[in-house]
Amino acid sequence: MSNLKYRVKDISLAPKGRLQIEWAEKHMPVLMEIRKRFEKERPLKDLRIGAVLHVTKETAVLMRTLIAGGAEVYLAASNPLSTQDEVAAALAEEEVHVYAWRGESEEEYFWAIDIVAKSEPNIVIDDGGDLHVHLHSKLLDIAKKIKGGTEETTTGIIRIKAMEKEGILKYPVIAVNNALTKFLFDNRYGTGQSTIDGIMRATNTLLAGKVVVVAGYGWVGRGIALRARGMGAIVVVTEVDPIRALEAAMDGFLVMPMKEAAKIGDIFITATGNIDVIRKEHFELMKNGAILANAGHFNVEVSVEDLKKISIARRKVRPHVEEYTLANGKKLYLLAEGRLVNLVAAEGHPSEVMDMSFANQALSIEYIAKKPKMKPALYSVPPEIDKTVAELKLKTMNIEIDKLTPRQEEYLRKWRF
Ligand code: NAD
Ligand code: ADE
């Protein structure tokens, strides 16, 4: 275990970070309600939690909630470019062991994850699977002793499923991403809004009248397409799944292969969780000035390698915007180095959305802490947790809903009228 209490960019940023966290707390009422109960009940007493998450003001609210529940917390970033340095500094001044700063090298990124893993946590939280994979490939003795973990995002769930299928998973993992109160809101409306926000902050480009190409019509792609249309863009969707392609078409979007979309797009946004979605053959077809952004978890969706290979010059023209000049003089603009544009060029999802995602995290962690023994496997978030989060969120939004009458309940149970 490391003696280093924290490593952040600049500890003097802490007062600024505290203000940011205070702002998030005001917009995360569900998590704050859970925190109040955790303070009384201390369900995480004597537990060490290792977390690899985007180090944002919303993550800070989750960390403070886990500490209120009695846990000791170790935290590293789930992306080298997403850390909010002032937030990391504020957490470092509190009780969190935090190892994160914006602009980590690949080596530094895994060094920080290694510290979290070697803290020998009882419970782990991950966003994208790098912590789970690190524990299973390099630190099996530590992995074997872990009581359980959670996974925040679609790409991480894919990796855990692959580990489960190979029979090598050493602890139970709750798929927080797959809770209804997570993916229906976070992946769709959270990423929908924050991706557009990131593109606008980076470029200040006008969306009205532009052709926006969205690759992938999953939960993230749906949200981005919806919000881009709301800003007046003409939206094109590319897909590999016939059902999702059909859904996009009937939702009123143009659907075509990327090799066709490449010729007409002004702004390209990948949201597939897949590799090489936009590559050399597509860059070559694009219009001069096209903008390239990614919202998927890893920086593999836009092939930066291909872009570098076919370019004769490259320069940074604005924060988070790199201009690539191709041999024929055409210029393409890559945002956020091809990493998640919403967390690099903007602040990630709004706090109100992360309120539900992180309420699911806090309650799933409490569930693991209280459960005597769970076999190593991928688990759904218990439906009662999902329901509690929805009910609490509605309450904090002052929204009331109807209740089934006894006659309606009976009607819904019967098959003979
Ligand atoms: P999803 O599985 O619901 O959707 C992915 C879609 O991409 C699927 O419909 C699939 O058919 C399609 N697809 C796969 N390969 C493709 C290709 N080559 N071309 C076109 N379409 C292709 O997943 P999701 O929940 O929408 O998540 C997508 C990605 O976004 C994941 O990497 C996830 O981890 C990430 N994510 C990012 C954020 C963020 O804050 N930026 C938030 C949530 C999820
Ligand atoms: N993922 C997307 N947005 C986020 C945020 N604001 N905080 C933590 N993780 C996120």
Side-chain angles (χ1 to χ4, degrees), residues 28 53-60 78 82 84 127 152-153 182 186 190-191 194 340 342-343 347-351 353-354 357-358:
M28 300 179 83
L53 293 166
H54 299 292
V55 181
T56 63
K57 58 190 185 307
E58 291 75 24
T59 295
S78 58
S82 65
Q84 296 168 1
D127 183 335
E152 170 76 7
T153 198
K182 200 281 184 180
D186 171 313
T191 322
S194 59
L340 315 114
N342 61 328
L343 281 139
E347 292 172 67
H349 303 348
S351 307
V353 166
M354 293 313 293
S357 309
F358 283 167

PDB file of all heavy atoms in Angstrom, residues 28 53-60 78 82 84 127 152-153 182 186 190-191 194 340 342-343 347-351 353-354 357-358, ligand 2:
ATOM      1  N   MET A  28     -27.911  17.493  -6.515  1.00  0.00           N
ATOM      2  CA  MET A  28     -27.935  16.022  -6.408  1.00  0.00           C
ATOM      3  C   MET A  28     -28.717  15.613  -5.154  1.00  0.00           C
ATOM      4  O   MET A  28     -28.169  14.989  -4.239  1.00  0.00           O
ATOM      5  CB  MET A  28     -26.492  15.470  -6.393  1.00  0.00           C
ATOM      6  CG  MET A  28     -25.708  15.830  -7.657  1.00  0.00           C
ATOM      7  SD  MET A  28     -24.022  15.245  -7.688  1.00  0.00           S
ATOM      8  CE  MET A  28     -24.201  13.560  -8.232  1.00  0.00           C
ATOM      9  N   LEU A  53     -12.999   6.515 -11.462  1.00  0.00           N
ATOM     10  CA  LEU A  53     -14.125   7.254 -12.043  1.00  0.00           C
ATOM     11  C   LEU A  53     -13.601   8.560 -12.625  1.00  0.00           C
ATOM     12  O   LEU A  53     -12.496   8.993 -12.268  1.00  0.00           O
ATOM     13  CB  LEU A  53     -15.157   7.586 -10.945  1.00  0.00           C
ATOM     14  CG  LEU A  53     -15.926   6.420 -10.317  1.00  0.00           C
ATOM     15  CD1 LEU A  53     -16.640   6.875  -9.043  1.00  0.00           C
ATOM     16  CD2 LEU A  53     -16.937   5.836 -11.297  1.00  0.00           C
ATOM     17  N   HIS A  54     -14.385   9.217 -13.476  1.00  0.00           N
ATOM     18  CA  HIS A  54     -14.002  10.564 -13.905  1.00  0.00           C
ATOM     19  C   HIS A  54     -14.008  11.444 -12.652  1.00  0.00           C
ATOM     20  O   HIS A  54     -15.009  11.463 -11.918  1.00  0.00           O
ATOM     21  CB  HIS A  54     -15.001  11.101 -14.932  1.00  0.00           C
ATOM     22  CG  HIS A  54     -15.054  10.258 -16.178  1.00  0.00           C
ATOM     23  ND1 HIS A  54     -13.993  10.175 -17.064  1.00  0.00           N
ATOM     24  CD2 HIS A  54     -16.019   9.449 -16.682  1.00  0.00           C
ATOM     25  CE1 HIS A  54     -14.319   9.348 -18.044  1.00  0.00           C
ATOM     26  NE2 HIS A  54     -15.542   8.896 -17.836  1.00  0.00           N
ATOM     27  N   VAL A  55     -12.916  12.141 -12.401  1.00  0.00           N
ATOM     28  CA  VAL A  55     -12.835  12.920 -11.155  1.00  0.00           C
ATOM     29  C   VAL A  55     -13.471  14.298 -11.392  1.00  0.00           C
ATOM     30  O   VAL A  55     -12.821  15.255 -11.803  1.00  0.00           O
ATOM     31  CB  VAL A  55     -11.367  13.002 -10.662  1.00  0.00           C
ATOM     32  CG1 VAL A  55     -11.299  13.802  -9.359  1.00  0.00           C
ATOM     33  CG2 VAL A  55     -10.822  11.591 -10.452  1.00  0.00           C
ATOM     34  N   THR A  56     -14.779  14.330 -11.162  1.00  0.00           N
ATOM     35  CA  THR A  56     -15.581  15.532 -11.398  1.00  0.00           C
ATOM     36  C   THR A  56     -16.231  15.950 -10.084  1.00  0.00           C
ATOM     37  O   THR A  56     -16.180  15.211  -9.095  1.00  0.00           O
ATOM     38  CB  THR A  56     -16.706  15.223 -12.397  1.00  0.00           C
ATOM     39  OG1 THR A  56     -17.570  14.232 -11.776  1.00  0.00           O
ATOM     40  CG2 THR A  56     -16.181  14.667 -13.707  1.00  0.00           C
ATOM     41  N   LYS A  57     -16.923  17.095 -10.132  1.00  0.00           N
ATOM     42  CA  LYS A  57     -17.620  17.553  -8.923  1.00  0.00           C
ATOM     43  C   LYS A  57     -18.696  16.553  -8.494  1.00  0.00           C
ATOM     44  O   LYS A  57     -18.945  16.381  -7.300  1.00  0.00           O
ATOM     45  CB  LYS A  57     -18.205  18.963  -9.123  1.00  0.00           C
ATOM     46  CG  LYS A  57     -19.186  19.122 -10.279  1.00  0.00           C
ATOM     47  CD  LYS A  57     -19.474  20.603 -10.510  1.00  0.00           C
ATOM     48  CE  LYS A  57     -20.548  20.850 -11.566  1.00  0.00           C
ATOM     49  NZ  LYS A  57     -20.320  20.178 -12.878  1.00  0.00           N
ATOM     50  N   GLU A  58     -19.304  15.856  -9.457  1.00  0.00           N
ATOM     51  CA  GLU A  58     -20.352  14.883  -9.122  1.00  0.00           C
ATOM     52  C   GLU A  58     -19.730  13.649  -8.459  1.00  0.00           C
ATOM     53  O   GLU A  58     -20.286  13.105  -7.497  1.00  0.00           O
ATOM     54  CB  GLU A  58     -21.129  14.473 -10.377  1.00  0.00           C
ATOM     55  CG  GLU A  58     -21.993  15.577 -10.978  1.00  0.00           C
ATOM     56  CD  GLU A  58     -21.214  16.649 -11.746  1.00  0.00           C
ATOM     57  OE1 GLU A  58     -20.091  16.348 -12.221  1.00  0.00           O
ATOM     58  OE2 GLU A  58     -21.718  17.776 -11.882  1.00  0.00           O
ATOM     59  N   THR A  59     -18.579  13.229  -8.972  1.00  0.00           N
ATOM     60  CA  THR A  59     -17.890  12.093  -8.346  1.00  0.00           C
ATOM     61  C   THR A  59     -17.506  12.457  -6.913  1.00  0.00           C
ATOM     62  O   THR A  59     -17.557  11.621  -6.005  1.00  0.00           O
ATOM     63  CB  THR A  59     -16.647  11.715  -9.189  1.00  0.00           C
ATOM     64  OG1 THR A  59     -17.119  11.241 -10.457  1.00  0.00           O
ATOM     65  CG2 THR A  59     -15.806  10.648  -8.535  1.00  0.00           C
ATOM     66  N   ALA A  60     -17.133  13.718  -6.708  1.00  0.00           N
ATOM     67  CA  ALA A  60     -16.780  14.165  -5.352  1.00  0.00           C
ATOM     68  C   ALA A  60     -17.970  14.002  -4.407  1.00  0.00           C
ATOM     69  O   ALA A  60     -17.803  13.594  -3.248  1.00  0.00           O
ATOM     70  CB  ALA A  60     -16.341  15.624  -5.390  1.00  0.00           C
ATOM     71  N   SER A  78     -10.723   7.783 -14.483  1.00  0.00           N
ATOM     72  CA  SER A  78     -11.028   6.765 -15.494  1.00  0.00           C
ATOM     73  C   SER A  78     -10.725   7.266 -16.905  1.00  0.00           C
ATOM     74  O   SER A  78     -11.079   6.609 -17.880  1.00  0.00           O
ATOM     75  CB  SER A  78     -12.487   6.318 -15.387  1.00  0.00           C
ATOM     76  OG  SER A  78     -13.347   7.412 -15.528  1.00  0.00           O
ATOM     77  N   SER A  82      -9.908  13.727 -18.197  1.00  0.00           N
ATOM     78  CA  SER A  82     -11.215  14.179 -17.700  1.00  0.00           C
ATOM     79  C   SER A  82     -11.196  14.778 -16.293  1.00  0.00           C
ATOM     80  O   SER A  82     -12.213  15.297 -15.836  1.00  0.00           O
ATOM     81  CB  SER A  82     -12.226  13.024 -17.753  1.00  0.00           C
ATOM     82  OG  SER A  82     -11.834  11.993 -16.873  1.00  0.00           O
ATOM     83  N   GLN A  84     -11.118  17.101 -13.168  1.00  0.00           N
ATOM     84  CA  GLN A  84     -11.275  18.526 -12.836  1.00  0.00           C
ATOM     85  C   GLN A  84     -10.304  18.789 -11.685  1.00  0.00           C
ATOM     86  O   GLN A  84     -10.532  18.340 -10.551  1.00  0.00           O
ATOM     87  CB  GLN A  84     -12.739  18.805 -12.480  1.00  0.00           C
ATOM     88  CG  GLN A  84     -13.658  18.562 -13.690  1.00  0.00           C
ATOM     89  CD  GLN A  84     -15.149  18.533 -13.385  1.00  0.00           C
ATOM     90  OE1 GLN A  84     -15.582  18.714 -12.255  1.00  0.00           O
ATOM     91  NE2 GLN A  84     -15.950  18.291 -14.420  1.00  0.00           N
ATOM     92  N   ASP A 127     -15.299   2.667 -13.962  1.00  0.00           N
ATOM     93  CA  ASP A 127     -16.003   3.257 -15.103  1.00  0.00           C
ATOM     94  C   ASP A 127     -15.168   2.935 -16.339  1.00  0.00           C
ATOM     95  O   ASP A 127     -14.164   3.605 -16.609  1.00  0.00           O
ATOM     96  CB  ASP A 127     -16.141   4.775 -14.894  1.00  0.00           C
ATOM     97  CG  ASP A 127     -16.932   5.449 -16.014  1.00  0.00           C
ATOM     98  OD1 ASP A 127     -16.972   4.903 -17.132  1.00  0.00           O
ATOM     99  OD2 ASP A 127     -17.492   6.532 -15.778  1.00  0.00           O
ATOM    100  N   GLU A 152     -19.798   1.204 -14.130  1.00  0.00           N
ATOM    101  CA  GLU A 152     -20.609   2.381 -14.437  1.00  0.00           C
ATOM    102  C   GLU A 152     -21.040   2.474 -15.901  1.00  0.00           C
ATOM    103  O   GLU A 152     -22.063   3.070 -16.202  1.00  0.00           O
ATOM    104  CB  GLU A 152     -19.767   3.622 -14.044  1.00  0.00           C
ATOM    105  CG  GLU A 152     -20.266   4.978 -14.457  1.00  0.00           C
ATOM    106  CD  GLU A 152     -21.435   5.492 -13.620  1.00  0.00           C
ATOM    107  OE1 GLU A 152     -21.796   4.858 -12.620  1.00  0.00           O
ATOM    108  OE2 GLU A 152     -21.987   6.537 -13.988  1.00  0.00           O
ATOM    109  N   THR A 153     -20.250   1.902 -16.836  1.00  0.00           N
ATOM    110  CA  THR A 153     -20.564   2.202 -18.245  1.00  0.00           C
ATOM    111  C   THR A 153     -20.640   0.977 -19.154  1.00  0.00           C
ATOM    112  O   THR A 153     -20.105  -0.090 -18.837  1.00  0.00           O
ATOM    113  CB  THR A 153     -19.575   3.254 -18.806  1.00  0.00           C
ATOM    114  OG1 THR A 153     -20.142   3.824 -19.991  1.00  0.00           O
ATOM    115  CG2 THR A 153     -18.218   2.663 -19.137  1.00  0.00           C
ATOM    116  N   LYS A 182     -30.329   4.512 -14.701  1.00  0.00           N
ATOM    117  CA  LYS A 182     -29.011   4.956 -15.168  1.00  0.00           C
ATOM    118  C   LYS A 182     -29.054   5.181 -16.671  1.00  0.00           C
ATOM    119  O   LYS A 182     -29.102   6.304 -17.155  1.00  0.00           O
ATOM    120  CB  LYS A 182     -27.933   3.944 -14.757  1.00  0.00           C
ATOM    121  CG  LYS A 182     -26.513   4.518 -14.757  1.00  0.00           C
ATOM    122  CD  LYS A 182     -25.895   4.603 -16.131  1.00  0.00           C
ATOM    123  CE  LYS A 182     -24.478   5.071 -16.140  1.00  0.00           C
ATOM    124  NZ  LYS A 182     -23.930   5.142 -17.501  1.00  0.00           N
ATOM    125  N   ASP A 186     -28.787   8.909 -17.963  1.00  0.00           N
ATOM    126  CA  ASP A 186     -27.368   9.280 -18.061  1.00  0.00           C
ATOM    127  C   ASP A 186     -26.876   9.116 -19.498  1.00  0.00           C
ATOM    128  O   ASP A 186     -26.436  10.079 -20.151  1.00  0.00           O
ATOM    129  CB  ASP A 186     -26.597   8.379 -17.079  1.00  0.00           C
ATOM    130  CG  ASP A 186     -25.088   8.455 -17.163  1.00  0.00           C
ATOM    131  OD1 ASP A 186     -24.548   8.394 -18.268  1.00  0.00           O
ATOM    132  OD2 ASP A 186     -24.428   8.533 -16.105  1.00  0.00           O
ATOM    133  N   GLY A 190     -27.989  12.657 -20.477  1.00  0.00           N
ATOM    134  CA  GLY A 190     -26.724  13.200 -19.958  1.00  0.00           C
ATOM    135  C   GLY A 190     -25.733  13.372 -21.087  1.00  0.00           C
ATOM    136  O   GLY A 190     -25.216  14.470 -21.341  1.00  0.00           O
ATOM    137  N   THR A 191     -25.467  12.282 -21.805  1.00  0.00           N
ATOM    138  CA  THR A 191     -24.471  12.364 -22.888  1.00  0.00           C
ATOM    139  C   THR A 191     -25.009  13.207 -24.035  1.00  0.00           C
ATOM    140  O   THR A 191     -24.239  13.924 -24.686  1.00  0.00           O
ATOM    141  CB  THR A 191     -24.069  10.960 -23.387  1.00  0.00           C
ATOM    142  OG1 THR A 191     -24.003  10.068 -22.286  1.00  0.00           O
ATOM    143  CG2 THR A 191     -22.717  10.991 -24.064  1.00  0.00           C
ATOM    144  N   SER A 194     -24.375  16.831 -22.788  1.00  0.00           N
ATOM    145  CA  SER A 194     -22.983  17.226 -22.509  1.00  0.00           C
ATOM    146  C   SER A 194     -22.074  17.068 -23.733  1.00  0.00           C
ATOM    147  O   SER A 194     -21.059  17.766 -23.845  1.00  0.00           O
ATOM    148  CB  SER A 194     -22.437  16.468 -21.302  1.00  0.00           C
ATOM    149  OG  SER A 194     -22.486  15.074 -21.502  1.00  0.00           O
ATOM    150  N   LEU A 340     -13.469  11.214 -24.856  1.00  0.00           N
ATOM    151  CA  LEU A 340     -14.855  11.649 -24.589  1.00  0.00           C
ATOM    152  C   LEU A 340     -14.960  13.173 -24.551  1.00  0.00           C
ATOM    153  O   LEU A 340     -14.511  13.811 -23.597  1.00  0.00           O
ATOM    154  CB  LEU A 340     -15.336  11.141 -23.224  1.00  0.00           C
ATOM    155  CG  LEU A 340     -15.080   9.720 -22.792  1.00  0.00           C
ATOM    156  CD1 LEU A 340     -14.139   9.716 -21.612  1.00  0.00           C
ATOM    157  CD2 LEU A 340     -16.359   9.058 -22.407  1.00  0.00           C
ATOM    158  N   ASN A 342     -17.369  15.159 -24.073  1.00  0.00           N
ATOM    159  CA  ASN A 342     -18.202  15.803 -23.043  1.00  0.00           C
ATOM    160  C   ASN A 342     -17.463  15.989 -21.727  1.00  0.00           C
ATOM    161  O   ASN A 342     -17.770  16.904 -20.966  1.00  0.00           O
ATOM    162  CB  ASN A 342     -19.495  14.995 -22.815  1.00  0.00           C
ATOM    163  CG  ASN A 342     -19.245  13.586 -22.327  1.00  0.00           C
ATOM    164  OD1 ASN A 342     -18.241  12.967 -22.676  1.00  0.00           O
ATOM    165  ND2 ASN A 342     -20.134  13.061 -21.518  1.00  0.00           N
ATOM    166  N   LEU A 343     -16.480  15.125 -21.469  1.00  0.00           N
ATOM    167  CA  LEU A 343     -15.742  15.239 -20.202  1.00  0.00           C
ATOM    168  C   LEU A 343     -14.435  16.001 -20.358  1.00  0.00           C
ATOM    169  O   LEU A 343     -13.895  16.515 -19.392  1.00  0.00           O
ATOM    170  CB  LEU A 343     -15.486  13.852 -19.618  1.00  0.00           C
ATOM    171  CG  LEU A 343     -16.736  13.301 -18.918  1.00  0.00           C
ATOM    172  CD1 LEU A 343     -16.955  11.852 -19.200  1.00  0.00           C
ATOM    173  CD2 LEU A 343     -16.676  13.579 -17.428  1.00  0.00           C
ATOM    174  N   GLU A 347     -18.000  19.691 -18.911  1.00  0.00           N
ATOM    175  CA  GLU A 347     -17.884  19.194 -17.528  1.00  0.00           C
ATOM    176  C   GLU A 347     -18.507  17.831 -17.317  1.00  0.00           C
ATOM    177  O   GLU A 347     -18.793  17.438 -16.192  1.00  0.00           O
ATOM    178  CB  GLU A 347     -18.573  20.181 -16.579  1.00  0.00           C
ATOM    179  CG  GLU A 347     -17.867  21.508 -16.470  1.00  0.00           C
ATOM    180  CD  GLU A 347     -18.692  22.521 -15.678  1.00  0.00           C
ATOM    181  OE1 GLU A 347     -18.886  22.335 -14.471  1.00  0.00           O
ATOM    182  OE2 GLU A 347     -19.158  23.493 -16.298  1.00  0.00           O
ATOM    183  N   GLY A 348     -18.787  17.095 -18.409  1.00  0.00           N
ATOM    184  CA  GLY A 348     -19.485  15.820 -18.261  1.00  0.00           C
ATOM    185  C   GLY A 348     -20.976  16.077 -18.065  1.00  0.00           C
ATOM    186  O   GLY A 348     -21.464  17.189 -18.266  1.00  0.00           O
ATOM    187  N   HIS A 349     -21.683  15.043 -17.649  1.00  0.00           N
ATOM    188  CA  HIS A 349     -23.132  15.184 -17.490  1.00  0.00           C
ATOM    189  C   HIS A 349     -23.474  16.183 -16.391  1.00  0.00           C
ATOM    190  O   HIS A 349     -22.771  16.254 -15.385  1.00  0.00           O
ATOM    191  CB  HIS A 349     -23.769  13.856 -17.086  1.00  0.00           C
ATOM    192  CG  HIS A 349     -23.523  12.732 -18.026  1.00  0.00           C
ATOM    193  ND1 HIS A 349     -22.998  12.893 -19.277  1.00  0.00           N
ATOM    194  CD2 HIS A 349     -23.759  11.411 -17.881  1.00  0.00           C
ATOM    195  CE1 HIS A 349     -22.917  11.721 -19.867  1.00  0.00           C
ATOM    196  NE2 HIS A 349     -23.363  10.801 -19.034  1.00  0.00           N
ATOM    197  N   PRO A 350     -24.605  16.855 -16.552  1.00  0.00           N
ATOM    198  CA  PRO A 350     -25.081  17.720 -15.472  1.00  0.00           C
ATOM    199  C   PRO A 350     -25.304  16.928 -14.177  1.00  0.00           C
ATOM    200  O   PRO A 350     -25.634  15.735 -14.215  1.00  0.00           O
ATOM    201  CB  PRO A 350     -26.409  18.246 -16.019  1.00  0.00           C
ATOM    202  CG  PRO A 350     -26.312  18.099 -17.496  1.00  0.00           C
ATOM    203  CD  PRO A 350     -25.469  16.886 -17.739  1.00  0.00           C
ATOM    204  N   SER A 351     -25.149  17.626 -13.064  1.00  0.00           N
ATOM    205  CA  SER A 351     -25.266  16.978 -11.743  1.00  0.00           C
ATOM    206  C   SER A 351     -26.606  16.271 -11.566  1.00  0.00           C
ATOM    207  O   SER A 351     -26.677  15.203 -10.958  1.00  0.00           O
ATOM    208  CB  SER A 351     -25.125  18.032 -10.642  1.00  0.00           C
ATOM    209  OG  SER A 351     -23.959  18.778 -10.829  1.00  0.00           O
ATOM    210  N   VAL A 353     -28.385  14.597 -13.530  1.00  0.00           N
ATOM    211  CA  VAL A 353     -28.400  13.257 -14.126  1.00  0.00           C
ATOM    212  C   VAL A 353     -27.481  12.323 -13.336  1.00  0.00           C
ATOM    213  O   VAL A 353     -27.843  11.182 -13.016  1.00  0.00           O
ATOM    214  CB  VAL A 353     -27.982  13.338 -15.615  1.00  0.00           C
ATOM    215  CG1 VAL A 353     -27.663  11.962 -16.159  1.00  0.00           C
ATOM    216  CG2 VAL A 353     -29.092  13.960 -16.438  1.00  0.00           C
ATOM    217  N   MET A 354     -26.300  12.838 -12.986  1.00  0.00           N
ATOM    218  CA  MET A 354     -25.363  12.003 -12.213  1.00  0.00           C
ATOM    219  C   MET A 354     -25.948  11.660 -10.854  1.00  0.00           C
ATOM    220  O   MET A 354     -25.543  10.686 -10.215  1.00  0.00           O
ATOM    221  CB  MET A 354     -24.009  12.708 -12.056  1.00  0.00           C
ATOM    222  CG  MET A 354     -23.219  12.887 -13.340  1.00  0.00           C
ATOM    223  SD  MET A 354     -23.116  11.402 -14.370  1.00  0.00           S
ATOM    224  CE  MET A 354     -22.130  10.310 -13.364  1.00  0.00           C
ATOM    225  N   SER A 357     -27.380   8.253 -11.414  1.00  0.00           N
ATOM    226  CA  SER A 357     -26.334   7.239 -11.656  1.00  0.00           C
ATOM    227  C   SER A 357     -25.593   6.927 -10.362  1.00  0.00           C
ATOM    228  O   SER A 357     -25.366   5.766 -10.014  1.00  0.00           O
ATOM    229  CB  SER A 357     -25.321   7.749 -12.681  1.00  0.00           C
ATOM    230  OG  SER A 357     -25.988   8.216 -13.817  1.00  0.00           O
ATOM    231  N   PHE A 358     -25.234   7.995  -9.633  1.00  0.00           N
ATOM    232  CA  PHE A 358     -24.426   7.770  -8.428  1.00  0.00           C
ATOM    233  C   PHE A 358     -25.267   7.341  -7.228  1.00  0.00           C
ATOM    234  O   PHE A 358     -24.753   6.733  -6.285  1.00  0.00           O
ATOM    235  CB  PHE A 358     -23.570   9.004  -8.141  1.00  0.00           C
ATOM    236  CG  PHE A 358     -22.365   9.103  -9.066  1.00  0.00           C
ATOM    237  CD1 PHE A 358     -21.612  10.272  -9.151  1.00  0.00           C
ATOM    238  CD2 PHE A 358     -21.972   8.030  -9.856  1.00  0.00           C
ATOM    239  CE1 PHE A 358     -20.496  10.364  -9.987  1.00  0.00           C
ATOM    240  CE2 PHE A 358     -20.865   8.100 -10.705  1.00  0.00           C
ATOM    241  CZ  PHE A 358     -20.128   9.275 -10.773  1.00  0.00           C
TER     242      PHE A 358
HETATM  243  N1  ADE B   2     -19.640  10.552 -16.738  1.00  0.00           N
HETATM  244  C1  ADE B   2     -20.278  11.436 -17.521  1.00  0.00           C
HETATM  245  N2  ADE B   2     -20.460  12.605 -16.881  1.00  0.00           N
HETATM  246  C2  ADE B   2     -19.897  12.463 -15.646  1.00  0.00           C
HETATM  247  C3  ADE B   2     -19.781  13.339 -14.539  1.00  0.00           C
HETATM  248  N3  ADE B   2     -20.266  14.583 -14.556  1.00  0.00           N
HETATM  249  N4  ADE B   2     -19.132  12.857 -13.454  1.00  0.00           N
HETATM  250  C4  ADE B   2     -18.646  11.583 -13.435  1.00  0.00           C
HETATM  251  N5  ADE B   2     -18.738  10.731 -14.445  1.00  0.00           N
HETATM  252  C5  ADE B   2     -19.370  11.164 -15.555  1.00  0.00           C
END
